Every structure is written in C-alpha cells, then in structure tokens.
Amino acid sequence: MAQADTIVVLDFETTGLSPDNGDRAIEIGAVKLERGEVVDRFQALMNPGRSVTAFIEDYTGISNTMLAEADSCAEVMDRFADFIQDYNLVAHNASFDQRFLDAELSRISRSYNGQFSCSLLAARRVFQQAPNHKLGTLVNYTNIPSSGDFHRALYDSEMTVKVWLKILEAIEQQYGLSDIPFSLLQKLNKTPKKSIHQWLLRQGESA
DNA sequence: TGCCAGGCCCTCTTTAGGGCCTT
C-alpha cells in the first residue's frame, strides 16, 4: 500500500464558512487509516447552541431538531481530540477543516500535534484532467461507487479516504513510489502545479 | 448601520482581480 503513515481523514459540517465570523461546527466525521486500511471511525453531531439556517439544514440534511438533541460542541470535540491524538490529518480543502478544528479545540483548551495534508490540493496536481476538483466530481472521475449522500461528515470522510487512496495509487503507478511518507504528501501540496510531473519523477528516482 | 472567509492558482500579474473549493 502506498501510504506508510497512520492518518485520520476528517470532515466538518458547520453553520457557515468562517469560525472568525462566529460559525461553529455541527458535525464531525473521521476515518482512521493504518497503511491504507480503515481501522476506526468517529461520527457525532454537536449542538452549537444556536439555530442553523434553512440553507444549512437543506445543504446537510442536519436539522435544528437533530442538533437540539446532540451533545454540546465542547463534549464532542473533547472526545474527538482523544480520537485524533497526534496523528497526521487529511481533509478535502484542509484549510477549511483546520480552521474549524483549531477554533473548536481552542474553545476547550485542547490541542493536537498532527499536521494537515489536503486532498483537494493533491487532486489538483495529480488529477489535472478532472472536470473540477469538488469531492463529488473526484469520486465520479475516479470511478468510486457512491450512494450520493454527500454533505454528511462521515460520508464525506469515507469518500475523501477513497479519493486519497486513488491519488496515492496514481502516484505509485505513474512514478514508481511506494510507502509514500506523509511529509512527501505535504510537499506535494506546496509544489507548483506546473512542475509537479518533473517533481514527482525526481521523487521516484531518488526513492 | 452594514458588513460578512481564506488560501490557492491562473492571468489580460506582482501597484490585481477573479474563479475554485470548503459550509
């Protein structure tokens, strides 16, 4: 398998786009991978202490009634901090999920030492021919079977796992890399798209 | 009152603007 490290792939559903504007997490889903195999999962709704808009209810299928019955963000995020420990983390458009993870953990004075890598940035480099790089499009593009239940945290995490493994598989097949370390995938995120082919060739030669 | 994200990436670029992604 192409992934050497244990990682946690995660996805937040939220009240909006920006924790700096007061938006909160309403659901977290995550999948733990060891050498490319799913070994654990985490899913929980959380009550942000206020109503979500009709747009968010419609977009996620998560209703205010469901959230009213859920544990608080503080309780859920405390359990989630235990779940992720210090594993490295992957998300689709990771900067978004990282902002919410940081904001919610900061509220309960918890932290983590894992680092993020982004499946969106990786897919833009590895799957340059895809029509676009939305999670759902990449699922179709890479022929991953899907029930289409996007915009729930665990489902999107599971789909992100499958896209992530397709990215690793493509790198492995095209460049002869195996047991790809997380650090290389972080560098991949920052390597200019224009030169990604040459860069990956060099990684394959020096591996 | 009125406003409301941020980072990446391309290009008709760098003294900037706009589309893509995430909810």
Side-chain angles (χ1 to χ4, degrees):
Chain A
M1 171 42 61
Q3 174 85 53
D5 316 60
T6 296
I7 59 170
V8 172
V9 179
L10 64 93
D11 181 68
F12 279 104
E13 304 306 315
T14 70
T15 64
L17 291 173
S18 174
D20 290 340
N21 269 2
D23 285 317
R24 299 296 303 273
I26 60 172
E27 188 182 38
I28 179 68
V31 176
K32 187 180 291 178
L33 284 185
E34 281 181 17
R35 299 193 63 79
E37 299 292 329
V38 176
V39 295
D40 205 357
R41 290 179 171 84
F42 188 102
Q43 185 277 326
L45 292 168
M46 59 189 112
N47 187 342
R50 57 184 173 82
S51 297
V52 299
T53 62
F55 171 80
I56 293 297
E57 286 191 310
D58 184 57
Y59 186 79
T60 64
I62 298 168
S63 68
N64 282 302
T65 305
M66 292 161 70
L67 294 175
E69 296 167 353
D71 288 337
S72 69
C73 292
E75 292 170 285
V76 170
M77 291 308 299
D78 195 46
R79 296 202 299 273
F80 189 62
D82 292 337
F83 181 82
I84 62 175
Q85 300 178 57
D86 288 328
Y87 292 115
N88 286 324
L89 305 165
V90 168
H92 199 67
N93 200 9
S95 68
F96 174 86
D97 293 279
Q98 182 172 11
R99 281 197 294 278
F100 278 95
L101 181 64
D102 291 352
E104 292 295 344
L105 291 185
S106 173
R107 284 172 174 269
I108 58 170
S109 300
R110 299 238 9 205
S111 59
Y112 62 101
N113 289 316
Q115 297 189 37
F116 269 91
S117 185
C118 177
S119 57
L120 168 65
L121 296 181
R124 279 181 177 160
R125 287 161 173 76
V126 176
F127 297 136
Q128 296 195 22
Q129 307 309 315
N132 62 57
H133 299 87
K134 294 177 185 176
L135 181 59
T137 301
L138 290 168
V139 165
N140 289 329
Y141 181 74
T142 55
N143 298 311
I144 294 165
S146 164
S147 62
D149 298 323
F150 290 101
H151 309 307
R152 286 301 298 270
L154 183 58
Y155 187 83
D156 282 4
S157 297
E158 304 269 12
M159 292 297 110
T160 301
V161 164
K162 292 181 179 183
V163 168
W164 185 249
L165 294 176
K166 290 284 189 181
I167 291 168
L168 297 176
E169 186 182 301
I171 294 172
E172 185 173 52
Q173 289 177 357
Q174 292 171 36
Y175 301 98
L177 287 159
S178 59
D179 291 326
I180 301 169
F182 192 80
S183 58
L184 188 141
L185 293 157
Q186 288 183 293
K187 288 178 192 163
L188 173 79
N189 278 177
K190 294 179 178 174
T191 300
K193 203 173 146 183
K194 276 188 292 189
S195 57
I196 199 67
H197 177 65
Q198 290 301 323
W199 183 80
L200 280 167
L201 282 175
R202 286 201 302 276
Q203 304 309 309
E205 288 163 4
S206 61

